[in-house]
Amino acid sequence: MKSIKKIALSILALGFLAMTQVFAAKAPTVVATYASDDVEMSEEGEAGTAIITFYSDKTFVMHIVMDQDIFIDEDFGSIPMKMDIDAAAGKYKGDPKKDGKLSLTATKTMSEDAAGSEEFLNTMIGALMTGEPIVITSDDMPLVDIPKKEQETIEVVITDGVMNFEGEELTRVMPEGK
């Protein structure tokens, strides 16, 4: 009887291991990453970091990191804002590891509804009163689907490892050891 239990437990353990490997094999891997620390983020000329990561399942994510002061009005002045957020995601065609053309179609964007939520507005009011920076993450403004008829495809060109993305230049970041 103990032998049967051991065999059954062994089979369960092997099955679990096999399932873990199947799920791990399906997880997309990073194919290429492009970044710039000098991307213009506002009309006031504030700059931030943009990072575009391309995955093996032909998807991409654009991530934004920035610190800037937001001018409210003459009475309140400015409040500091920190942003660390996924700004867009979608599909791509082409090879981001090589120079050439890529087609990017954004299928998701930041939720504008979240920016108008009561919770977000309370965060802004709290920042105004305390002088603490407003911190915005993807939890505050999650990505939402863009309706199919509103999705746009843009063409980008990569030359000598530099991607020209709507007037901004992002440089290919090589993974360590490559």
Side-chain angles (χ1 to χ4, degrees):
M1 190 66 150
K2 287 183 181 180
S3 298
I4 293 173
K5 285 183 180 178
K6 285 183 181 180
I7 292 171
L9 287 173
S10 297
I11 291 171
L12 284 173
L14 287 173
F16 180 73
L17 181 61
M19 290 295 289
T20 302
Q21 290 174 346
V22 166
F23 287 119
K26 290 185 178 183
T29 57
V30 173
V31 172
T33 301
Y34 289 79
S36 174
D37 290 331
D38 194 30
V39 175
E40 190 173 308
M41 298 290 179
S42 69
E43 293 176 10
E44 291 81 29
E46 299 282 345
T49 299
I51 304 159
I52 303 176
T53 305
F54 295 92
Y55 296 93
S56 58
D57 63 353
K58 294 293 192 177
T59 62
F60 73 91
V61 174
M62 176 185 275
H63 191 81
I64 303 294
V65 178
M66 64 181 262
D67 292 331
Q68 75 176 33
D69 290 333
I70 305 287
F71 180 75
I72 303 299
D73 65 21
E74 296 298 325
D75 293 330
F76 287 108
S78 297
I79 56 173
M81 181 176 78
K82 295 178 181 287
M83 185 178 279
D84 190 351
I85 191 167
D86 290 339
K91 304 175 290 190
Y92 70 89
K93 291 181 184 175
D95 188 349
K97 297 180 304 238
K98 300 177 181 175
D99 287 357
K101 292 183 182 180
L102 286 179
S103 296
L104 307 176
T105 303
T107 59
K108 296 181 179 286
T109 190
M110 293 183 296
S111 170
E112 291 179 17
D113 291 340
S117 73
E118 185 176 337
E119 180 181 348
F120 187 76
L121 294 174
N122 287 337
T123 300
M124 288 189 69
I125 291 169
L128 281 170
M129 300 181 110
T130 64
E132 293 292 318
I134 297 172
V135 178
I136 302 172
T137 67
S138 293
D139 290 337
D140 302 311
M141 294 182 73
L143 292 177
V144 295
D145 291 331
I146 299 172
K148 185 87 170 158
K149 63 184 178 189
E150 295 176 21
Q151 294 177 7
E152 294 182 29
T153 298
I154 63 167
E155 303 292 324
V156 298
V157 176
I158 302 168
T159 306
D160 295 328
V162 177
M163 176 191 300
N164 186 323
F165 185 87
E166 296 189 330
E168 301 288 348
E169 291 186 346
L170 290 87
T171 303
R172 186 180 299 130
V173 179
M174 299 302 288
E176 287 186 31
K178 299 223 176 185

